[in-house]
Amino acid sequence: MEFELNAEKRNEAGTPASRKGRHAGQVPGIVYGGGKKSVSIILKHDELQHSLDNEAFYSHVLSLHIDGLSLIHISEPTRLGMISYAVFCLK
């Protein structure tokens, strides 16, 4: 089973920008690791929540599409409460 999430690069940083995105139904996040520079992203809350509600999400392959670029992430077995920030670590 494979999960896919779509994200966009986030140009604005800081609390005001994150708060603005949350009010618009989005979740700020970051992608780091894999020997590459970290990238700030923004995801749609409903899409992320739908994936998180599926227990298989925590142990399966995730394809993260950022502005047309596809990255593969192996989900770690963690569980989040309320979604306020998303962190993806590339292996």
Side-chain angles (χ1 to χ4, degrees), residues 5 9 25 50 52 55 62 66 86:
L5 288 176
K9 283 186 183 177
H50 181 35
L52 291 172
E55 288 295 322
L62 167 66
I66 304 171

Side-chain angles (χ1 to χ4, degrees), residues 43-54:
L43 303 113
K44 292 180 181 167
H45 177 274
D46 293 343
E47 184 180 347
L48 180 59
Q49 183 66 56
H50 181 35
S51 294
L52 291 172
D53 287 343
N54 188 333

Side-chain angles (χ1 to χ4, degrees), residues 6-80:
N6 296 304
E8 298 175 7
K9 283 186 183 177
R10 189 167 51 117
N11 297 324
E12 299 176 21
T15 302
S18 295
R19 188 175 295 131
K20 180 179 164 185
R22 287 186 189 104
H23 286 296
Q26 299 173 322
V27 178
I30 190 163
V31 178
Y32 69 95
K36 301 186 186 223
K37 187 176 176 183
S38 62
V39 177
S40 295
I41 60 171
I42 194 102
L43 303 113
K44 292 180 181 167
H45 177 274
D46 293 343
E47 184 180 347
L48 180 59
Q49 183 66 56
H50 181 35
S51 294
L52 291 172
D53 287 343
N54 188 333
E55 288 295 322
F57 177 81
Y58 299 96
S59 60
H60 285 77
V61 175
L62 167 66
S63 293
L64 184 61
H65 305 285
I66 304 171
D67 292 337
L69 175 66
S70 295
L71 302 171
I72 302 297
H73 167 74
I74 306 299
S75 297
E76 297 290 333
T78 58
R79 181 68 180 151
L80 303 174

